[in-house]
Amino acid sequence: MEFFQYLGAATRESFTKLGRASYFLIGMLSGISSVLIRPCLLLKQMHSVGVLSFLIITISGLFVGMVLGLQGFYILSRFGAEETLGVMVAASLVRELGPVVAALLFAGRAGSALTAEIGLMKATEQLSGMEMMAIDPIKRIISPRFLAGFLSMPLLAALFSAVGIIGGQIVGCGLLGVDDGAYWSQMNANLDFQKDIINGIIKSVVFGFVTSWIALFEGYDAIPTAEGVSRATTRTVVNSAFSILGLDFILTALMFGDN
Amino acid sequence: MNNRSHNTNNLVSVNNLTFSRGTRKIFDDISLEFERGKITAIMGPSGTGKTTLLKLIGGQLFPQTGNIMVNGRDVHHLKRDELYTLRKRMGMLFQSGALLTDITVFDNVAYPLREHSHLPESMIRSLVLMKLEAVGLRGARDLMPNELSGGMARRVALARAIALDPMMIMYDEPFTGQDPISMGALVHLIKSLNTTLSLTSIVVSHDVHETAAIADYIYVLSEGKVVGQGTPQEIKESPSEWVQQFMNGAADGPVHFHYPAKDYMDDLLHTEKTLFSRKRLIGEKPAKRRRYS
Amino acid sequence: MPHNNTQDTLVGLFVAAGIASLFFLALQVSNLSSFTKGETYQITASFENSGGLKVKSPVSAAGVKIGRVSSIVFNPKTYRSVVTMEIDAKYKTLPDDSSVSVYTAGLLGEQYISLGEGASDSYLHNGSEIEFTNSALILEKAITQYLLKSADEKKDSDDKKNSPKK
């Protein structure tokens, strides 16, 4: 009985939270117009969200591509199909790993930082202070960060994929002796712009949207104490990971389901 | 009280305000008046919702019943734009200062000016320096907020609060956690700003002596009610035992030292009883217990 | 807000790198560059079996890509599959008695249409239909045929071997 009471309370709490989050999202989106008038706000956030994630994304992308090159080569060479290594590496990166891994890294690197920053601003009454200065903190603080995350994500995912493909080429062609021409031409012939690249970008745009939303909302909704902020940061990473992977399944089913 | 209420000279008036958080009533039908150009203090023990009152006046929280009039306008029935216009004329000094931590002292003070006015940068510079000079921190303009002491941070926040030349300032616990020197500086600042800028000040505090030294009128709150009000002199001479205990800082009085609890002896014995029964429940022998005692 | 030049530059570099990798993916990795939507004309051909041919499969002549498949539909009257191809308008001089076959690139590769040139003096134009078609090679069918054939041969040779004895 107690268990069901707990379950009911937890369900209700999560719906309440979703409601608050949706309300927050509307405020955040309506603040975007005011960010566009002042691009210097956006620039600053692009720096902290995008530029500072650049290194982790490129290095991870390179290694993921290299691993794909190695693993792909071992499997494909059993069937005598090493020439299709480029297709394998590029397709897995562009369709799945690029958007998903980049988004997971983004949630860990930029998302948690955003939550902690907003949570601490709340804990130190900075948000309240801005409100009393007649400055809307959602417009001034949240919206630029959201837009920056939303715009950075596809760029980061594209970077991840591109660097990964080059990593796969370094390992496949440089170390394992796959023909360089075959690597690129097979990739070129078998990947479709619409189906693979555009869908990959759509995925990363969705992930960027969701991750930034979760990170900012958890920060804004955090209990303004040290413990509250740390728990909110954890929730950001966990919830982002769940949302990214769950949405990835849905998006993949929608995009590639007909084939 | 009657001579203060519904006076046109009141900048802020709180009428029959009730506010609760969950089931706990923070304010129970209270009415307060804040006269223009005066320093009015709200005193009371920690946890009586003094900060909540300031947030209510600032329109950040909504009351269940009652209203708050600021400069003749009902704060909680204003449209968003109107509320923001009103807030530009209300300064608030937060307990922590609430400075933006990623920009310098100068930029912090310039912040509301840059957001709300379209003044050229040279004029903003002069204005900011004037405000910083007023709080005596012109030399600290290039420091970051984390390099400031608590008292300095509060003074910078004060400079920021007066940046838009407001009609009133709300001080949230301005004296808490200050050393005597910075406390003295703040007391002096609040008093002098109030006269030189002809502000209306609302000071929320539980520091009896500092507040009594500058306030023109004092409200004492406890458990959601106004338990005493008057000029500092009247408050000091108040017949209310409660007010006397608060003003003199006596450990016991109408407000008990002990948080409400059941009988001490009963409580101790009861614990012992449950200990016994628990031990029996898990089948431990009394002999084993003796070894620990 | 104070402007910071280094920060602007870094953000600029970041955005440029991101867009550059998008271009890289679009042009180098996918086949966007290899067949851009230029002027094309359509021809159709009906196959007994179009096998694993797909929309956007390449159409090539002498190993060079000259177009792509734009639609594959089943004709319920003739029980054949009607394949529409978009041929690059550059290649206007394809004889109208050319033949088309569905081939497989390598053993496991994708299927494509190969155009074998005819000898006619009149050329294919928008809407023309190719008469000579060779269906896709269905591996299972081929194997079955081969097995049946070899079984027959074996039977024959067995018959031959056995008959003298009898």
Side-chain angles (χ1 to χ4, degrees):
Chain A
M1 197 62 215
E2 219 168 84
F3 171 74
F4 286 108
Q5 267 178 357
Y6 170 77
L7 201 68
T11 314
R12 204 187 139 184
E13 168 57 23
S14 58
F15 278 115
T16 317
K17 194 166 178 181
L18 189 64
R20 268 180 302 175
S22 312
Y23 196 74
F24 177 79
L25 178 68
I26 293 168
M28 196 160 71
L29 293 178
S30 63
I32 282 179
S33 56
S34 67
V35 179
L36 296 176
I37 305 166
R38 298 175 56 182
C40 70
L41 285 178
L42 179 66
L43 213 63
K44 197 175 169 194
Q45 295 311 321
M46 283 289 272
H47 180 257
S48 67
V49 170
V51 177
L52 298 182
S53 307
F54 185 89
L55 202 63
I56 184 174
I57 292 283
T58 44
I59 291 176
S60 312
L62 190 68
F63 281 120
V64 168
M66 285 162 82
V67 169
L68 276 177
L70 270 177
Q71 293 280 21
F73 181 81
Y74 289 140
I75 291 179
L76 292 174
S77 62
R78 281 198 214 162
F79 304 104
E82 301 97 288
E83 264 64 44
T84 54
L85 182 68
V87 185
M88 200 212 102
V89 170
S92 30
L93 276 168
V94 171
R95 285 183 177 190
E96 285 298 327
L97 293 174
V100 172
V101 179
L104 289 174
L105 290 170
F106 180 80
R109 169 66 187 76
S112 57
L114 283 177
T115 306
E117 188 187 12
I118 303 294
L120 276 174
M121 286 183 94
K122 190 181 177 188
T124 52
E125 295 180 308
Q126 290 182 48
L127 296 182
S128 215
M130 293 186 84
E131 251 176 60
M132 286 308 297
M133 282 190 276
I135 299 163
D136 185 350
I138 296 213
K139 266 187 195 156
R140 185 61 177 67
I141 298 287
I142 307 284
S143 292
R145 283 167 173 76
F146 175 73
L147 197 60
F150 178 64
L151 292 178
S152 299
M153 195 60 249
L155 297 179
L156 289 170
L159 254 164
F160 188 95
S161 300
V163 172
I165 288 167
I166 293 167
Q169 193 247 359
I170 292 170
V171 170
C173 306
L175 300 176
L176 301 171
V178 174
D179 179 55
D180 203 43
Y183 185 87
W184 291 113
S185 65
Q186 284 279 339
M187 189 191 300
N188 211 306
N190 285 293
L191 258 71
D192 185 61
F193 180 71
Q194 183 90 42
K195 203 166 150 83
D196 295 311
I197 314 272
I198 295 287
N199 280 352
I201 293 170
I202 292 174
K203 273 187 180 181
S204 62
V205 167
V206 173
F207 296 160
F209 185 94
V210 171
T211 313
S212 314
W213 178 22
I214 291 177
L216 291 167
F217 176 70
E218 288 292 356
Y220 194 75
D221 200 49
I223 300 162
T225 59
E227 200 210 353
V229 174
S230 91
R231 290 176 70 159
T233 312
T234 312
R235 274 203 305 275
T236 293
V237 178
V238 173
N239 291 349
S240 300
F242 280 150
S243 316
I244 289 165
L245 296 172
L247 278 171
D248 184 46
F249 172 72
I250 295 169
L251 288 173
T252 307
L254 285 177
M255 289 166 173
F256 303 104
D258 59 336
N259 202 332
Chain B
M1 182 172 175
N2 285 336
N3 61 334
R4 282 178 65 81
S5 60
H6 305 298
N7 187 333
T8 44
N9 202 29
N10 291 341
L11 182 65
V12 180
S13 53
V14 176
N15 306 312
N16 307 100
L17 180 87
T18 304
F19 179 79
S20 10
R21 274 222 166 97
T23 51
R24 204 165 82 90
K25 250 189 187 167
I26 311 258
F27 299 117
D28 186 7
D29 194 23
I30 60 165
S31 298
L32 310 168
E33 301 292 333
F34 301 90
E35 208 178 322
R36 239 177 251 273
K38 294 282 164 64
I39 299 176
T40 310
I42 299 164
M43 307 193 73
S46 309
T48 41
K50 300 187 296 290
T51 308
T52 310
L53 183 63
L54 294 188
K55 288 198 169 169
L56 281 162
I57 296 174
Q60 289 187 306
L61 296 172
F62 285 82
Q64 270 79 39
T65 57
N67 64 22
I68 294 174
M69 308 292 287
V70 175
N71 204 16
R73 313 204 61 177
D74 185 343
V75 174
H76 298 102
H77 287 95
L78 289 177
K79 284 194 199 108
R80 195 184 160 74
D81 295 349
E82 294 172 322
L83 178 63
Y84 271 49
T85 317
L86 185 65
R87 276 187 189 162
K88 283 181 204 169
R89 307 200 52 209
M90 299 162 90
M92 176 143 173
L93 184 71
F94 285 85
Q95 199 172 341
S96 58
L99 295 175
L100 300 174
T101 42
D102 56 340
I103 50 179
T104 61
V105 164
F106 182 92
D107 290 326
N108 258 296
V109 179
Y111 195 83
L113 291 168
R114 285 180 180 147
E115 288 290 325
H116 291 307
S117 69
H118 300 284
L119 297 173
E121 195 57 30
S122 61
M123 198 179 275
I124 286 181
R125 193 186 120 87
S126 327
L127 277 170
V128 170
L129 292 183
M130 275 163 61
K131 305 295 175 188
L132 280 173
E133 176 70 20
V135 297
L137 288 176
R138 191 163 46 84
R141 71 184 108 155
D142 293 324
L143 296 180
M144 295 301 283
N146 59 7
E147 296 171 289
L148 301 173
S149 70
M152 279 161 83
R154 251 173 246 185
R155 276 151 74 187
V156 174
L158 187 52
R160 185 178 68 177
I162 57 171
L164 289 174
D165 291 319
M167 57 186 177
M168 61 181 282
I169 297 191
M170 297 184 274
Y171 299 90
D172 185 7
E173 303 282 6
F175 311 119
T176 314
Q178 300 295 307
D179 61 75
I181 298 175
S182 46
M183 186 118 81
L186 278 165
V187 170
H188 167 74
L189 261 177
I190 293 172
K191 185 81 190 160
S192 63
L193 283 180
N194 201 68
T195 40
T196 52
L197 303 178
S198 52
L199 291 166
T200 305
S201 302
I202 302 175
V203 182
V204 152
S205 178
H206 49 229
D207 292 276
V208 172
H209 302 290
E210 289 73 21
T211 312
I214 52 169
D216 295 304
Y217 201 82
I218 296 177
Y219 285 98
V220 185
L221 295 185
S222 174
E223 286 163 12
K225 300 263 189 203
V226 178
V227 293
Q229 57 175 301
T231 60
Q233 197 55 36
E234 284 167 13
I235 289 283
K236 270 177 198 158
E237 291 159 5
S238 164
S240 158
E241 266 183 65
W242 197 99
V243 174
Q244 285 304 322
Q245 187 196 355
F246 182 78
M247 297 304 281
N248 299 321
D252 219 339
V255 179
H256 292 294
F257 171 72
H258 292 291
Y259 193 83
K262 48 190 160 184
D263 188 70
Y264 190 34
M265 213 52 214
D266 271 2
D267 223 359
L268 287 174
L269 287 170
H270 185 66
T271 322
E272 194 70 1
K273 260 183 222 158
T274 50
L275 258 177
F276 276 123
S277 54
R278 235 178 247 160
K279 297 254 173 184
R280 290 214 186 103
L281 261 176
I282 57 169
E284 220 173 330
K285 282 169 196 158
K288 217 172 184 182
R289 194 170 50 85
R290 214 173 290 144
R291 205 174 52 185
Y292 294 110
S293 56
Chain C
M1 279 290 107
H3 254 277
N4 185 336
N5 262 329
T6 341
Q7 184 181 298
D8 292 4
T9 317
L10 285 173
V11 174
L13 280 175
F14 165 66
V15 174
I19 290 172
S21 27
L22 280 177
F23 267 97
F24 169 76
L25 292 179
L27 301 178
Q28 193 67 33
V29 176
S30 78
N31 49 9
L32 183 69
S33 58
S34 58
F35 194 72
T36 44
K37 278 259 160 73
E39 286 281 298
T40 58
Y41 64 95
Q42 290 193 333
I43 57 172
T44 56
S46 73
F47 292 88
E48 194 181 314
N49 189 331
S50 59
L53 204 64
K54 291 188 191 91
V55 170
K56 286 190 180 171
S57 291
V59 177
S60 64
V64 179
K65 191 174 173 186
I66 57 165
R68 58 170 37 158
V69 173
S70 62
S71 86
I72 303 171
V73 288
F74 175 66
N75 184 336
K77 282 180 195 149
T78 58
Y79 301 108
R80 289 166 78 89
S81 108
V82 178
V83 175
T84 310
M85 291 160 266
E86 285 185 343
I87 306 295
D88 197 328
K90 279 190 291 195
Y91 307 109
K92 279 181 217 149
T93 55
L94 302 171
D96 63 0
D97 62 344
S98 299
S99 65
V100 283
S101 326
V102 179
Y103 285 149
T104 308
L107 194 58
L108 300 167
E110 63 173 339
Q111 296 198 297
Y112 67 98
I113 289 183
S114 174
L115 194 120
E117 277 75 17
S120 168
D121 285 341
S122 50
Y123 301 124
L124 288 171
H125 53 86
N126 197 16
S128 26
E129 187 178 347
I130 296 180
E131 286 168 45
F132 309 104
T133 59
N134 293 313
S135 287
L137 174 76
I138 307 297
L139 212 55
E140 292 90 329
K141 222 175 179 178
I143 293 169
T144 319
Q145 272 170 357
Y146 173 76
L147 288 176
L148 284 173
K149 205 173 155 195
S150 59
D152 281 349
E153 276 169 7
K154 206 182 167 195
K155 211 171 149 194
D156 286 351
S157 60
D158 282 356
D159 286 351
K160 273 173 202 165
K161 271 181 200 168
N162 292 342
S163 57
K165 273 188 181 178
K166 269 187 178 174

